[in-house]
Structure formats: structure tokens, C-alpha cells
Amino acid sequence: MSTPALIVENVGKAYVEYESELQRFMRWFGMRVQPKAEHWVLRRVNFRLNQGDAVGIIGQNGAGKSTLLKMITGTTRPTEGAVSLRGRVAALLELGLGFNQELTGRENAVYSAGLLGIPQDRIPELLPEIKAFAEIGEYFEQPMRTYSSGMQMRVAFSVATAIRPDILIVDEALSVGDAYFVHKCFQRIREFQEAGTTLLIVSHDASSVQALCDRAILLDNGTMVLDGEPQQVFDYYNALIAEKENRTVRVERINGQVATESGTGEATFEEVALLDAAGAAIEYVGVGQEVVLRALVRINSPVDRLVFGYMIKDRLGQAIYGTNTHYTGQVCADLVADDLLEFRVKFSVNLGPGSYSLSLALSSTETHLVKNYQWRDLALVFTVANMGYDQFVGSAWVPGTISVARGRRHDDGSLANDLALRPPATESGP
């Protein structure tokens, strides 16, 4: 049985306004007091993380994500419920939290390492590694007020992960980093995961959560709405954004996967199919094969402006490619009830072998945030197989021609003229 690393049990947080400071002190000592006002920002949150689990927390601004992390790390106390932790915790919450802008990067690293519970006798031996990982050069010896936000993040992450923690908590801190360093951070996080570190990450980046996490938790208006697979939770999250009143969000299971559908219904999909060159519906596609996505749309009530969009996703729900008729300059306008529209998308499946899905959308603009008529995740699921090309790995088919040259180098560094070229092999094979 897995060992629990984190237990969040019926946790809630309220900010209370009292008539006087005396009432506040009375409540601290357990006396019953009727407050002037009470605002709950989080309530009845329950989940458990076992050792080695990786969970993403998602939700709109104000949903309670940061408050939850602060209670888990102990920087604020829950009003109700309890949090239980097992092992050493490293947390990257608000960027620059705990840093003194007048101290140098080195001095802040020493101070922050001590706050993280790293023994004082180990900090000096860790500093060269912290500096090397941060890659900010001589700025490490400069006051932090001279740093950009990305440089502060480099130091903060380097300190927090100088020793592998039992639990690593990250709250959007990586969103300010440059692409190179973020990639470097994710590589270290993956190494920690393989070694048994439990990960709790808050991010609006679906690809990051889906790449790192095996679970995701959705918070909305201070309550826990969903706990499930990352793709399922992000699909539901996107539907909630589109339908702020949450009146038209529907969830069903298709081929073992959870599909989310939402929309107001002025325009809806009647038929959806993936066709081969002969016009036959297919579920299995060869690498590089040309196919047609056909979507028949019915207009149920007048629509001033209609945009059709589609997105190809991999088995983890990460976007491979997507576009819509707003970007292609093919918006439909002034539609009336009972109009029928047929959309055909012709493309070559230059994808690697595996399972893929198509998500479809009907909206008034290039996003579904203004008028979302219908949005269907997992509208189609298809499998790609390599049936005629050399073996390759990856999610995209981007073939290259390999040439091989064999020769010698002169003492002066120049290449010999009698290079023997070997043309690329024509037979199938790796």
C-alpha cells in the first residue's frame, strides 16, 4: 500500500471581520463570537497524494489555488479541516517571496536555504551547485534589485531544488522563465519524480500539467469541482470558462475516455466523420495518408457570425495542431434557422504512430469565450499506424535525408579531397 505524502481533509479558509480586536482575541482562545462578516474563499476540499504522485491544481483566478497551497505549506492556517504532510517540503509560491532585494543572490540563497530547513553546515557546499544551475553568472554576487523576474525565478528554483525534497510545490513560478531555463527546470522535476518526489503544481499551461502529472484537481469559486485525469479536467475547465453559468456543460465517456461538450445550441454538429480518399469513413490511418474531416452543421436559430474550428490532440490531450475559419478568412455570416453547412478539412496525417482525437468548435469569434454555440472534445478518435515508411519515433513525421561522408583530415585541419560518399539507403529500415 502506498504511503500518504499529503492528506488534505475537509479544508476551508475564511477571512473574518470582527466588531473589535477583543472579539478576535476571544475567538483565538476558542470562545464563541459572532463576527461582523465572514468570507469563505475555500471550503470542503479533500484529496490525498501518495508518495511519488504528481497532481496539478487548476482553476480561474480567485478559485482558491494559492490559498490552498499556502495552507499546505503552513504560511497560513486553515479555518476548518486539517493538512497532514510527510517528509521535507520545498515550495515555490509567490515569485521573490522571502527575498531581500538589497541582498545579493548568494546572500539570499543562504537565507532561503536556511528557511527551507537545509542544515547550515551543508549550505556552503551547495552554493556552487546553486549558482551553476541558476546560470546568472556574476549577477549572483549583485543585489537582487538588479535582477529581472526571470533571474529571480532562476535563483528561487535553484535553491528550492538544491536537495531533492519529498514534496515539491510549484505555483506558477515557472511562467516567468525563459524557454531554455523552464525546460531545464522540468528536466530536474522529472528526475525528482523518478526518484520518488511527490509533485503538486499550479499552472494554467495544459501541456505542462499533462506532461508532468497523472492527476489534476479543478477548483472553482472556492470548491473542488473535479479530481481526475488531466485531459478530462482541462476539458471540463475550458467548458466552464466558456459557460460561466455552467448550464450547458455535459460530460460523457467515449471509448474509455471522458469527453466534455458545451454550448448554447444555436448551431450544432449533426454529422462528423474522418474520410479517406475514396470518401469512406475510417478509424485507422497510415502515416502521411491524406484524409478529409467532414462536419455537417445545422443552424437552429439565427446566427450573425459563425466560426468553425478543429484541434488535433494526442492521447494525453496535448494540442498537436488547430485552426479555425476566422484565421483562414472563411467566416459564415447572417445564418438563419434550418440552414445546413458542410465543412471539409483536407490534410495529410504527418503524425507518428499512436492514438489521436479531434475536438471541434462552433463559435462567434476565434475563441469560444464570447459565444460558444457548440464545443465537442473527443468528437472523433482515430489511430495512426506506420504502414509503409522507415521506422521512426515521435509524434510527427518529418522525414529527413541522411548523407554519410567518410574521409581524413590533414594536419592543417582541412578535409582530404578523396571523401567517399555513401548515398542514403533506399530500403526500409531504421
Side-chain angles (χ1 to χ4, degrees), residues 408-417:
R408 297 180 304 279
R409 188 177 293 277
H410 294 305
D411 292 340
D412 63 1
S414 62
L415 289 176
N417 292 325

Side-chain angles (χ1 to χ4, degrees), residues 71-196:
M71 289 189 289
I72 291 173
T73 56
T75 56
T76 189
R77 296 180 60 185
T79 306
E80 63 181 15
V83 175
S84 301
L85 290 166
R86 185 186 182 94
R88 194 179 75 84
V89 179
L92 281 141
L93 300 181
E94 297 176 20
L95 186 64
L97 184 66
F99 284 161
N100 185 321
Q101 297 298 306
E102 298 303 318
L103 298 181
T104 66
R106 179 182 295 275
E107 291 166 339
N108 272 297
V110 171
Y111 179 67
S112 298
L115 291 178
L116 288 170
I118 297 176
Q120 289 295 318
D121 58 348
R122 287 211 60 190
I123 294 176
E125 67 182 71
L126 291 172
L127 282 176
E129 182 184 338
I130 291 171
K131 179 181 178 181
F133 190 88
E135 293 188 57
I136 60 171
E138 292 307 312
Y139 275 98
F140 197 62
E141 313 300 338
Q142 300 298 319
M144 194 158 275
R145 56 180 164 76
T146 65
Y147 288 21
S148 66
S149 58
M151 292 168 68
Q152 290 190 47
M153 188 276 283
R154 284 174 174 242
V155 174
F157 186 88
S158 301
V159 173
T161 60
I163 297 178
R164 185 182 71 82
D166 297 298
I167 303 174
L168 177 62
I169 299 174
V170 182
D171 182 9
E172 292 287 7
L174 300 182
S175 62
V176 300
D178 58 272
Y180 162 74
F181 193 74
V182 169
H183 180 84
K184 189 175 178 180
C185 292
F186 282 152
Q187 181 61 37
R188 175 167 280 192
I189 290 172
R190 290 189 185 96
E191 291 171 359
F192 284 173
Q193 286 183 271
E194 292 171 0

